Amino acid sequence: MGEIERVFRAEHGRAVAVLTRVFGDIGVAEDAVADAFVAAVERWPEEGLPPSPAGWIITTARNRAIDRLRREASRADRHAQAVLLHAADEPLPQETGPVADERLRLIFTCCHPALNRPAQVALTLRLLGGLSTAEIARAFLVPEPTMAQRLVRARGKIRDAKIPYRVPEAGDLPGRLRSVLAVVYLVFNEGYAASSGPELTRADLCAEAVRLARLLAELMPDEPEVTGLLALMLLAESRRAARTGADGSLMPLSDQDREHWDPRLIAEGQALVRACLRRNAPGPYQIQAAIQAVHSDAPSAAVTDWSQIVRLYDHLLELDPSPVVALHRAVAVAEVEGPEAGLRLVDAADLPMYHLFHAIRADLLRRLGRTAEAAAAYEAAIALTENAAEKTFLRGRLGALNL
Amino acid sequence: MTHYLLSIYQPEGDPPAPEVLGKVMKDLHVLNQELKSAGAWVFSRGLHDPDTATVVRLQGDDVVTSDGPYLEGKEHVGGFWIIQAPDLDAALGWARKAARAITLPIEVRPFQDRPEA
């Protein structure tokens, strides 16, 4: 069973993608793949895994879908007739070569800008990741019927509005790729610092985001921002074990035991950052990855090259002049020029609804000895964060102030 | 081919100054020519103001007539196109051109398939 589960997660996206092209309909493809996995659960434990599990799934799914569509078409179901007609013109592709590109089409369809972001995320995890509706609902802390409804609506819009199933043309690609990368990064961030709930991280979402980014990097090796996003996530992921204490509490970067950072992920992430630097086509994800690489280079927080980090944030701010970037730059400036300079920049960023704005202000005020103001800022940060581990961390900091 | 409704959402109030409107009308004409030569144009026309609208509705056994638009709002549909396009990306491409030409938001909405299709 474990093996079938593994094949399911690994091959779901590819199978749905191939069959979507064959049938021209995502819903039909999804149902067909689900049927094929049910058949696999019945047969593989006795007969053993077929030589090519993915090929078996795709062939079985296609045959079962055609059987089902024929039954429906004979009852004068016009949609079934149209889908069958489509399938008759589309031979099953060979297993190598263009098959990989099918998943690329699927992810661009799932992340189409005509779908809202929660729908893009849900569809990507469902179709490419093979997560069940219940799993996605749990991961995003929404009731399962709500998530099911979201998926039904998104599939319906793809079908009725005729959202195309293809990789966008070169002229549209940069904008469309931004949307795909944003979805993958959102999945990662939701797993990395869960916006609410008892656990600080939801490792499965991070793993899924990294898997999607690896797939994109494999399919689009010439897009440096794809490489940058993968590097950024690997470097962040390398600190997972050090980010939480034994009791599940949050460990800020400066207090983490760097012995617990994963050297394999750091090496891979840094190699990707170096590849980006050689290519010299910087973008926001690549620069953020480079910032993480500077942290990864430092054997201790004290010897971090903060000047280099400030320079990278300067560059990032040019490409993405947002208050959130300005806020993070202020943290680096505080390390180079002192908390006073940092605080001036934080106040200029003015993000009163963002918990990190207040948490960072609180820390700088604490270092400046402005205890009463620091306490008020910690209170504001606590009120704005839904994540229990972060709340506990901030309460600890607040309690440690000598009021 | 799918048919799409492209609706122009227009704020209430006076029309723009003549020189602004003149440019809009010229750009609109160019766009309609382009739609026609691409074979995408099915129908398009501007509408009179919403205060010219009349609503009829069934109330019990009677059909009641009332003066004014069905929905009162700050914005209303000021005109629309019906176009045909192979998919949503193509329809959105036309909608982007329309939004540039008339500088107002355009809503793109697919028609249901024809029953005989």
Side-chain angles (χ1 to χ4, degrees):
Chain A
M1 270 306 277
E3 190 60 13
I4 297 176
E5 189 115 316
R6 192 194 59 72
V7 171
F8 182 81
R9 290 295 292 276
E11 302 300 342
H12 189 270
R14 186 193 305 264
V16 169
V18 168
L19 291 159
T20 299
R21 201 192 28 70
V22 169
F23 292 109
D25 185 301
I26 286 180
V28 170
E30 243 189 303
D31 290 346
V33 172
D35 281 354
F37 275 103
V38 169
V41 170
E42 285 166 5
R43 293 182 48 183
W44 293 0
E46 277 190 25
E47 298 173 15
L49 240 55
S52 162
W56 190 94
I57 289 291
I58 289 171
T59 308
T60 306
R62 178 178 174 275
N63 294 341
R64 294 203 165 205
I66 286 179
D67 286 347
R68 182 143 56 109
L69 289 162
R70 283 201 179 121
R71 284 196 301 275
E72 287 164 8
S74 67
R75 294 199 305 262
D77 178 330
R78 256 197 314 271
H79 184 65
Q81 289 164 0
V83 171
L84 266 178
L85 215 58
H86 194 282
D89 295 338
E90 289 280 352
L92 268 187
Q94 298 304 303
E95 259 183 68
T96 49
V99 176
D101 293 355
E102 298 288 339
R103 281 176 299 176
L104 204 51
R105 293 187 193 202
L106 188 59
I107 197 166
F108 274 106
T109 302
C110 291
C111 299
H112 196 281
L115 299 168
N116 65 35
R117 194 46 51 85
Q120 295 173 345
V121 169
L123 270 181
T124 302
L125 289 174
R126 178 78 198 87
L127 298 184
L128 268 303
L131 272 69
S132 70
T133 305
E135 285 172 319
I136 304 168
R138 251 199 322 278
F140 286 90
L141 303 165
V142 301
E144 195 180 331
T146 308
M147 185 55 75
Q149 195 52 42
R150 192 178 290 174
L151 284 162
V152 165
R153 183 195 163 270
R155 282 191 207 97
K157 182 163 185 184
I158 290 174
R159 183 188 60 236
D160 296 336
K162 307 271 192 305
I163 290 179
Y165 182 60
R166 65 163 171 262
V167 176
E169 285 158 27
D172 293 334
L173 194 63
R176 296 284 307 275
L177 184 59
R178 264 200 296 283
S179 158
V180 170
L181 296 180
V183 164
V184 173
Y185 196 36
L186 193 142
V187 170
F188 183 82
N189 277 327
E190 192 58 33
Y192 196 68
S195 59
S196 52
E199 308 247 325
L200 180 66
T201 62
R202 277 186 245 132
D204 45 350
L205 281 184
C206 290
E208 193 53 46
V210 168
R211 205 168 71 91
L212 287 168
R214 282 191 194 284
L215 174 66
L216 286 170
E218 180 195 321
L219 300 179
M220 308 179 84
D222 296 326
E223 292 292 338
E225 279 291 89
V226 175
T227 311
L229 177 60
L230 177 58
L232 171 60
M233 296 194 306
L234 291 173
L235 291 170
E237 188 67 2
S238 73
R239 300 185 199 126
R240 169 177 302 287
R243 281 183 82 227
T244 44
D247 55 352
S249 60
L250 183 150
M251 278 289 171
L253 188 57
S254 54
D255 298 352
Q256 287 174 16
D257 180 353
R258 299 183 179 213
E259 293 292 311
H260 288 151
W261 287 2
D262 185 332
R264 209 174 37 86
L265 292 177
I266 291 176
E268 189 186 356
Q270 290 189 327
L272 293 172
V273 169
R274 283 192 296 274
C276 289
L277 289 174
R278 280 196 299 276
R279 192 189 295 265
N280 196 23
Y285 290 116
Q286 297 173 75
I287 296 172
Q288 290 178 76
I291 290 166
Q292 294 308 317
V294 175
H295 285 301
S296 302
D297 268 337
S300 72
V303 298
T304 305
D305 186 352
W306 285 105
S307 307
Q308 174 69 9
I309 291 178
V310 171
R311 280 195 295 279
L312 288 163
Y313 271 119
D314 288 342
H315 195 171
L316 184 57
L317 207 53
E318 280 169 33
L319 299 179
D320 177 15
S322 74
V324 172
V325 173
L327 179 67
H328 288 284
R329 180 177 174 276
V331 173
V333 170
E335 297 301 324
V336 177
E337 297 175 26
E340 187 94 56
L343 186 61
R344 270 197 303 276
L345 294 171
V346 169
D347 285 338
D350 192 27
L351 287 160
M353 298 313 292
Y354 186 36
H355 72 280
L356 274 183
F357 168 77
H358 297 286
I360 289 166
R361 270 196 90 230
D363 189 57
L364 295 173
L365 288 164
R366 175 186 62 78
R367 284 154 67 182
L368 288 165
R370 291 159 64 176
T371 314
E373 289 168 86
Y378 278 124
E379 298 279 9
I382 291 164
L384 284 169
T385 179
E386 298 288 324
N387 181 287
E390 280 187 53
K391 260 191 204 291
T392 306
F393 170 78
L394 291 166
R395 286 214 184 90
R397 284 284 164 114
L398 175 61
L401 288 176
N402 287 317
L403 281 168
Chain B
M1 282 287 180
T2 297
H3 287 92
Y4 294 88
L5 177 69
L6 274 52
S7 311
I8 303 164
Y9 276 84
Q10 189 172 319
E12 65 179 348
D14 295 330
E19 63 274 17
V20 178
L21 200 59
K23 163 135 175 51
V24 168
M25 296 316 283
K26 214 180 86 213
D27 291 350
L28 211 50
H29 180 71
V30 171
L31 172 61
N32 280 326
Q33 287 308 313
E34 200 184 336
L35 276 160
K36 281 173 186 168
S37 51
W41 188 91
V42 177
F43 179 88
S44 67
R45 199 74 64 81
L47 289 163
H48 278 298
D49 283 346
D51 60 13
T52 62
T54 311
V55 174
V56 287
R57 82 185 88 200
L58 191 62
Q59 219 163 60
D61 286 336
D62 291 339
V63 176
V64 183
T65 304
S66 59
D67 184 8
Y70 180 69
L71 287 176
E72 299 279 0
K74 293 259 171 265
E75 276 136 356
H76 56 266
V77 174
F80 61 87
W81 286 264
I82 296 170
I83 64 163
Q84 53 181 2
D87 57 40
L88 184 66
D89 280 356
L92 293 177
W94 290 115
R96 272 193 285 272
K97 289 186 177 191
R100 278 184 201 287
I102 47 183
T103 68
L104 288 171
I106 307 291
E107 181 190 273
V108 179
R109 197 161 157 188
F111 279 91
Q112 294 181 2
D113 288 335
R114 271 167 300 187
E116 69 275 11

